Amino acid sequence: SMASSIENLFIEEEYTYKAKLPFPQRPGGVLSEEKGGIRYQVNFKGSQALCDLSPFPGLTKTTLKEAKAVWDQLFTKHLKNVESYLFAEDYRSLSLLKEKTQSLAPIEFALFQLWCQLSPHAKKNKDREKAKSGLKKNDVLSFSSWINFDLKTDETLQEKITLKVKCSKEEVSAFIEDLKVKQKDFRGELENYQLRIDGNTGWQASDLNRFWKELEGLGLTHLVDYFEEPLQNYQEYKKLLQGENLKAIPIAHEEFLEDYIQ
């Protein structure tokens, strides 16, 4: 019934803010020195989450007023849809809400932020990571350290060794080449590792797609635990959704919310 939905899911707090940008930005020829929007605190089954509704001038034609009107509709008339999205296994099922969100990027990004914080599936993955990371060393390597990394074989290994490797957009091609070399020369050793590839919000959707396709070609997708915050901005995530391969490219979002909002 609608009533149970409203008890389970509601906006606890909303406030309008303006924040100075670290430097003036001019997407689409529109100069902005500050960013404005609305922060919402949403309560879902007793858990709280924050999200940010803030159309960026030049990136989108939508005004804050228009975005807020659609948002208000979602949280009055379409709560059931929002609730079922928050239960969705995959954040990409947002595309099923297209007519309700009117495909507005600021709305979809705000819902995506809520999914990352409130979805049982997102939480389960985080808890699994916590449980797993207790067992293993999770060294962070720069890409150049990874190239020279001495892969070890250890017959007594109970758990795979998890490594986090930072990889900029410029290093993507070299990473692929390096994996080809390691696969050829150290196939057995490579199998002992799980890689978390940190794109540091620098990649485009095309980089991620290319990396994943190459891994598939090499039969190495199982090496990747996840890509951490690989893409530059929400527009790139949207491109990923529109791409052909809605495959299970594993993506983790950790600290992104505060970074985007600050």
Side-chain angles (χ1 to χ4, degrees), residues 137 141 144-153 161 163 182 186 189-190 193:
K137 78 183 211 294
L141 300 179
S144 52
S145 309
W146 161 253
I147 283 192
N148 302 311
F149 188 75
D150 182 14
L151 292 171
K152 298 172 184 56
T153 35
I161 299 163
L163 286 179
K182 286 186 167 68
F186 305 102
E189 291 87 335
L190 199 54
Y193 289 85

Side-chain angles (χ1 to χ4, degrees), residues 184-198:
K184 201 164 103 248
D185 300 342
F186 305 102
R187 185 163 205 131
E189 291 87 335
L190 199 54
E191 289 301 319
N192 286 321
Y193 289 85
Q194 276 267 283
L195 303 180
R196 295 172 179 181
I197 298 171
D198 185 355

Side-chain angles (χ1 to χ4, degrees), residues 2 11 13-14 38 40 53 64-79 82 100-102 104 107 111:
M2 192 69 187
I11 291 170
E13 209 183 300
E14 69 177 82
I38 306 173
Y40 289 96
L53 188 63
L64 184 57
K65 195 174 162 199
E66 290 163 344
K68 183 177 171 16
V70 175
W71 184 262
D72 289 345
Q73 291 252 311
L74 279 172
F75 276 84
T76 49
K77 301 205 173 91
H78 306 303
L79 266 177
V82 176
K100 308 282 192 294
T101 61
Q102 296 180 22
L104 296 178
I107 300 269
L111 288 174

Side-chain angles (χ1 to χ4, degrees), residues 103-158:
S103 294
L104 296 178
I107 300 269
E108 295 188 348
F109 189 39
L111 288 174
F112 166 64
Q113 291 174 337
L114 292 180
W115 184 90
C116 287
Q117 297 166 80
L118 295 172
S119 148
H121 295 281
K123 284 186 179 157
K124 205 160 65 207
N125 290 342
K126 271 224 175 83
D127 292 345
R128 224 183 23 236
E129 289 317 322
K130 274 206 193 88
K132 279 195 339 201
S133 59
L135 300 169
K136 294 182 279 190
K137 78 183 211 294
N138 191 0
D139 290 345
V140 179
L141 300 179
S142 68
F143 175 63
S144 52
S145 309
W146 161 253
I147 283 192
N148 302 311
F149 188 75
D150 182 14
L151 292 171
K152 298 172 184 56
T153 35
D154 182 349
E155 303 315 320
T156 64
L157 216 57
Q158 298 297 305

Side-chain angles (χ1 to χ4, degrees), residues 164-221:
K164 183 163 158 179
V165 184
K166 293 195 169 284
C167 175
S168 70
K169 176 184 164 61
E170 291 67 36
E171 291 163 337
V172 167
S173 296
F175 204 132
I176 292 164
E177 290 316 304
D178 175 67
L179 282 172
K180 288 179 182 169
V181 171
K182 286 186 167 68
Q183 184 183 35
K184 201 164 103 248
D185 300 342
F186 305 102
R187 185 163 205 131
E189 291 87 335
L190 199 54
E191 289 301 319
N192 286 321
Y193 289 85
Q194 276 267 283
L195 303 180
R196 295 172 179 181
I197 298 171
D198 185 355
N200 224 352
T201 67
W203 298 12
Q204 290 171 311
S206 54
D207 300 311
L208 186 57
N209 278 326
R210 182 163 63 98
F211 203 121
W212 193 251
K213 279 207 174 74
E214 291 276 358
L215 285 173
E216 285 186 324
L218 296 167
L220 290 180
T221 52

